[in-house]
């Protein structure tokens, strides 16, 4: 399993970029707000062929699973979900999102992003 950071996203190899589940969403959200989270490969499209494809994409907040999408070779490895930020009691805190992407040949990859709650 590989966890990449912003540096890897810019300087990484095409192999790393096509397996890494990039999280795209606002860096700051309001408490209780519903916001969009998009997960896709990090700049290089992964092949989706009979013998080589992304089998699932998963999103967690901390250790809590939010969503998992199982894919076949006929789907695009991209997911858009809408999640609700924590309540007013969490203002000023940080919420950590973790995305996982599983390639049937190259294993599981993850990416983490911190979101500030205001």
């Amino acid at each position: 399993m590989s966890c990449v950071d912003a540096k890897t996203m810019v300087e990484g190899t095409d192999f790393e970029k096509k397996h890494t589940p990039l999280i795209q969403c606002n860096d700051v959200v309001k408490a209780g707000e519903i916001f969009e989270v998009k997960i896709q490969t990090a700049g290089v499209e992964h092949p989706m062929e009979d013998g080589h494809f992304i089998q699932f994409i998963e999103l967690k907040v901390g250790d809590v699973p939010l969503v998992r999408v199982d894919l076949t070779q006929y789907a695009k490895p991209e997911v858009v979900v809408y999640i609700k930020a924590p309540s007013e009691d969490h203002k000023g805190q940080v919420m950590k999102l973790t995305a996982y992407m599983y390639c049937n040949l190259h294993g599981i990859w993850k990416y983490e992003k911190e979101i500030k709650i205001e």
Side-chain angles (χ1 to χ4, degrees), residues 5-62:
D5 57 22
K7 182 178 178 186
T8 303
M9 301 303 284
V10 173
E11 299 173 6
T13 66
D14 284 354
F15 177 81
E16 291 169 323
K17 291 178 182 180
K18 73 180 172 183
H19 288 96
T20 302
L22 179 64
I23 297 172
Q24 295 179 310
C25 65
N26 294 335
D27 294 332
V28 179
V29 296
K30 293 181 181 176
E33 175 183 49
I34 294 176
F35 64 100
E36 181 180 284
V37 178
K38 183 176 182 179
I39 305 165
Q40 64 186 33
T41 57
V44 176
E45 195 163 317
H46 190 282
M48 296 298 279
E49 303 164 347
D50 287 344
H52 185 205
F53 60 96
I54 298 297
Q55 210 165 354
F56 71 79
I57 297 172
E58 186 174 273
L59 180 66
K60 292 183 177 185
V61 171

